[in-house]
Structure formats: structure tokens, C-alpha cells
Amino acid sequence: MTRLVYFAWVRERIGKSEEDLDLPASVETVGDLLAHLRTLGEEYEAALEFPDAIRVAINQEHAERHERIAGAREIGLFPPMTGG
Amino acid sequence: MPSILRPIVSVQREDIDTRAIVHALTDGRTDVGALVTFTGLCRDEAGRLEALELEHYPGMAEAELTRIGEEAIGRFALLGLAIVHRYGRMEPSDQIVLVAATSSHRQAAFDGANFVMDYLKTSAPFWKKEHGRDGTEGGWVAARDADDTARLRWKQD
């Protein structure tokens, strides 16, 4: 099981702040994960409608699309950051 | 043995006590010649804004601010650095963020604080949601291209 955590409008559109998912073995990279999530329902489709606008963190560190998610304890999905 | 200098990092709901942070960075320090503090405030957007709601990624926010702080300390040879970022509801005139940097000479402290803010804006996991004075939820603040541009000027070849 992999823990997924969502923030800001990604959280609002998916309708939950976190969940544990069993990811299929074919989901190897961050990019694969985004494509897989979009198949889980229309709320995911709405949240991930513009995949380029989604930032991903693996174990609380920023991750690029090609990075592998094997062994990830926690994967965060969120929009571009607007702190400061 | 020189110890490895770590930034003071705090992600908190409470207001920011700048005076306490400045004391922590300067008390008893006879080597510090420059102190720069930057405070980011909630503005009212020409009267339109009632409040900002700041969301953060607990754990990652602290980790990312620490990473940015460590990079700034190394790059500008800072003598001290503190980064404090709030979350929760903030109203116009409230403090949102404080960066305080100390160094021997002023340029490093100015540059260090500036660098931290530019990186914080684009890589620390915080998000702002606006609440309008007319009772509307104004939605999530969009990331600005200008912030990405500001960050790029620190790129080293």
C-alpha cells in the first residue's frame, strides 16, 4: 500500500486529503501514477485534468515525472506552490 | 572543530516574534556585522480581500525550508539564518513569513534573505486561498511566472 496525500485544490477536487492505494505493478514512475489516478473516477479526472499543473513529492521531496515510485511510503500531489 | 550551521526553521500557526528571532541570531555574537530581516505581510488587494487561508504540507514544509536554508547558508557563508512561515487564517496586515539572515558584511545577508524568499515562493509547499470581503470564496491563488523568473536569476552555471 502506498499513502497518497493531497493538498489545496487537488485535495478539494478529489474530495479527500489522504488515502492508501494498492498500485498496480505497471505503475512505475510519477508519470504512470498520474495517468493511473485519472482512471479512478471523475473526481480524479477533474483534479488531474491538467497534469502539467500538478506537482508531486515522493517521501516529502519534490519528484520529476520520470522518477520511479518503487518503495515510496508517501506520495504528495498538489498545485504549484504559492507561499511566502 | 567548526560545527555545521543549521537554519532555525519554524512552521507555525502563531504570530511571528521577530524580536525573539533576532535575539536568537545576534545575542552574544561579536562576529556578526549585518542582520537582514524580511517580513511578508497579508495585503488587502485594494480592499477586496477579507482573509487568506494558508494550507501547508506538514513535514515537507519544514523539510523544504530546511533544505533551502542550508543551501543559502553554504552559498552566502551566512553566520545565521531563520525562516518562519505561518499557516491558517491571516487577515490584512498580519505577518505571513519571516526570513532573518546574519553575516559579516551586508551583501551576504541581503542576498541570503533574497535567495531564501525566491526559492521558498516556488518550492516550499504552502498554498493560499482567498476569502473576499463580499463573502465570496475567491479561490486558490495562482502561481506567478514572475516568481519562477525571480528564482532563475540564482542559477549558477
Side-chain angles (χ1 to χ4, degrees), chain B:
Chain B
M1 280 272 291
S3 58
I4 295 166
L5 181 61
R6 303 254 305 165
I8 298 168
V9 168
S10 177
V11 176
Q12 61 189 46
R13 188 180 283 281
E14 315 84 70
D15 197 10
I16 299 168
D17 186 346
T18 302
R19 185 186 291 252
I21 294 288
V22 166
H23 275 298
L25 291 176
T26 58
D27 278 3
R29 294 293 296 259
T30 55
D31 54 338
V32 170
L35 161 71
V36 167
T37 68
F38 168 83
T39 302
L41 304 169
C42 177
R43 61 176 174 264
D44 71 358
E45 304 291 359
R48 181 175 59 77
L49 190 86
E50 165 87 20
L52 280 179
E53 190 75 35
L54 262 122
E55 180 170 335
H56 75 298
Y57 186 162
M60 182 172 172
E62 290 87 344
E64 195 63 27
L65 293 180
T66 301
R67 281 193 281 271
I68 295 168
E70 287 174 343
E71 193 175 340
I73 287 169
R75 181 156 168 181
F76 302 100
L78 300 177
L79 295 175
L81 177 67
I83 310 173
V84 184
H85 203 304
R86 296 179 67 201
Y87 62 88
R89 181 185 164 93
M90 264 144 263
E91 295 179 0
S93 89
D94 284 351
Q95 304 186 97
I96 301 173
V97 61
L98 169 74
V99 175
T102 55
S103 57
S104 304
H105 300 281
R106 72 178 183 283
Q107 200 63 51
F110 273 125
D111 287 349
N114 211 358
F115 173 94
V116 167
M117 280 308 301
D118 282 345
Y119 272 74
L120 183 158
K121 283 265 179 194
T122 52
S123 70
F126 292 88
W127 302 273
K128 293 191 183 103
K129 186 178 211 176
E130 295 186 333
H131 296 275
R133 287 188 67 184
D134 55 2
T136 57
E137 209 175 73
W140 294 95
V141 174
R144 298 168 67 236
D145 288 343
D147 291 332
D148 288 320
T149 309
R151 175 183 173 136
L152 284 175
R153 67 197 159 113
W154 299 103
K155 281 269 181 247
Q156 289 170 319
D157 294 327

Side-chain angles (χ1 to χ4, degrees), chain A residues 35-80:
Chain A
H36 172 69
L37 289 174
R38 286 186 69 171
T39 67
L40 297 185
E42 58 185 30
E43 64 272 32
Y44 292 88
E45 188 119 28
L48 307 174
E49 180 185 7
F50 303 105
D52 289 351
I54 305 294
R55 301 286 177 270
V56 178
I58 297 177
N59 299 336
Q60 306 193 348
E61 286 198 43
H62 292 294
E64 303 294 334
R65 292 295 188 269
H66 65 268
E67 286 183 46
R68 303 180 67 81
I69 62 169
R73 297 183 308 278
E74 179 177 294
I75 301 178
L77 271 71
F78 40 81

